[in-house]
């Protein structure tokens, strides 16, 4: 009888051990791809050049909330939830490149269809007066506005890999759900290229 009890206990212990390992393996199968994808996007390590991203990868990714503290309503960049964001610099003298960036980001946002709610456009106003911004918002509704000193923006860019690019102020940025600027685009990028990148990141990140 004692031997039978010991045998049962041994079997239960073995079953418990197998169950624990199965749980660990299941967690690894689910979590490791997500962690790997996040590390690749954050660091660029393991990213094949010229094949994955259409935009220019920033290295390292830069936290934008240290630059843009609050929007015109006093809310932080991430206050609207887990969203990917298109951040478009805007100055008082918005030239053709600036106008093109605003137009392309708006059209791409619309083309996302039902996924558009997971993306937000943010205007980074670099010293533009309120009248100019209000006029712009009539053409680009639902775009948040964050005021930043042009000199601060230039300094922030100078610390990134974009600093060597010509007319870096004419780029707009793709910012991830945690507030890190990941990629940059300019007038050489077509809307379809931005759309392709957005669809990819939305596919591989969880909806809140």
């Amino acid at each position: 009888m004692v031997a039978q009890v010991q045998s049962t206990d041994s079997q239960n212990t073995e079953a418990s051990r197998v169950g624990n390992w199965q749980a660990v393996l299941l967690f690894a199968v689910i979590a490791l791809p997500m962690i790997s994808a996040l590390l690749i996007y954050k660091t660029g390590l393991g990213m094949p050049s010229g094949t994955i991203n259409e935009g220019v990868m920033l290295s390292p990714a830069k936290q934008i909330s240290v630059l843009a503290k609050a929007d015109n309503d006093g809310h932080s960049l991430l206050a609207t939830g887990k969203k990917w964001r298109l951040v478009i610099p805007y100055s008082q003298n918005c030239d053709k490149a600036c106008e093109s960036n605003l137009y392309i980001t708006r059209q791409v946002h619309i083309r996302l269809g039902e996924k558009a709610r997971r993306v937000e456009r943010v205007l980074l106003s670099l010293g533009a007066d309120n009248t100019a911004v209000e006029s712009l918002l009539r053409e680009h509704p639902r775009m948040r506005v964050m005021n930043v000193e042009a000199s601060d923006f230039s300094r922030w860019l100078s610390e990134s890999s974009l600093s060597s690019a010509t007319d870096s102020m004419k780029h707009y940025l793709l910012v991830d759900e945690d507030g890190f600027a990941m990629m940059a685009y300019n007038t050489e990028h077509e809307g379809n290229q931005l759309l392709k990148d957005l669809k990819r990141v939305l596919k591989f990140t969880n909806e809140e």
Side-chain angles (χ1 to χ4, degrees):
M1 183 68 178
V2 173
Q4 184 177 0
V5 171
Q6 290 176 337
S7 175
T8 301
D9 288 343
S10 176
Q11 290 174 354
N12 289 339
T13 301
E14 182 65 23
S16 177
R17 186 180 299 112
V18 171
N20 289 339
W21 274 110
Q22 287 177 335
V24 170
L25 289 173
L26 180 61
F27 175 80
V29 168
I30 296 173
L32 287 178
M34 297 174 61
I35 295 171
S36 297
L38 181 62
L39 287 173
I40 288 171
Y41 269 108
K42 295 289 187 187
T43 66
L45 294 176
M47 188 80 77
S49 61
T51 59
I52 297 297
N53 302 308
E54 300 291 339
V56 178
M57 200 81 176
L58 293 187
S59 180
K62 290 185 59 62
Q63 176 58 250
I64 199 168
S65 62
V66 300
L67 173 72
K69 305 292 186 184
D71 63 19
N72 283 358
D73 295 322
H75 299 136
S76 70
L77 180 72
L78 305 183
T80 49
K82 299 278 285 184
K83 297 178 183 289
W84 285 82
R85 294 171 173 89
L86 293 170
V87 176
I88 308 104
Y90 175 77
S91 64
Q92 188 68 30
N93 300 314
C94 186
D95 58 15
K96 289 184 178 180
C98 167
E99 291 176 356
S100 175
N101 291 341
L102 286 165
Y103 175 78
I104 286 175
T105 55
R106 180 183 63 188
Q107 297 308 108
V108 168
H109 196 194
I110 293 171
R111 289 176 62 188
L112 285 172
E114 64 177 14
K115 296 183 184 296
R117 66 181 182 278
R118 296 180 58 196
V119 177
E120 182 175 53
R121 295 169 71 224
V122 179
L123 187 75
L124 210 61
S125 178
L126 306 176
D129 62 44
N130 291 335
T131 302
V133 171
E134 288 172 5
S135 176
L136 181 68
L137 291 180
R138 286 194 285 272
E139 299 178 30
H140 300 267
R142 297 171 58 189
M143 184 163 57
R144 292 172 69 195
V145 179
M146 307 192 86
N147 294 296
V148 174
E149 293 291 333
S151 57
D152 290 340
F153 182 60
S154 296
R155 189 179 307 112
W156 183 83
L157 278 181
S158 71
E159 299 168 355
S160 76
S161 56
L162 196 62
S163 62
S164 60
T166 304
D167 294 328
S168 57
M169 295 281 284
K170 298 183 186 217
H171 287 72
Y172 59 94
L173 307 169
L174 177 60
V175 177
D176 75 3
E177 297 169 315
D178 297 317
F180 284 90
M182 309 291 297
M183 283 183 278
Y185 303 81
N186 58 27
T187 52
E188 295 181 3
H189 293 95
E190 298 178 353
N192 285 337
Q193 293 177 288
L194 172 61
L195 184 63
K196 182 179 178 182
D197 280 346
L198 276 173
K199 284 184 174 180
R200 182 183 297 114
V201 297
L202 292 175
K203 179 180 179 181
F204 291 106
T205 52
N206 294 324
E207 186 172 0
E208 188 177 56

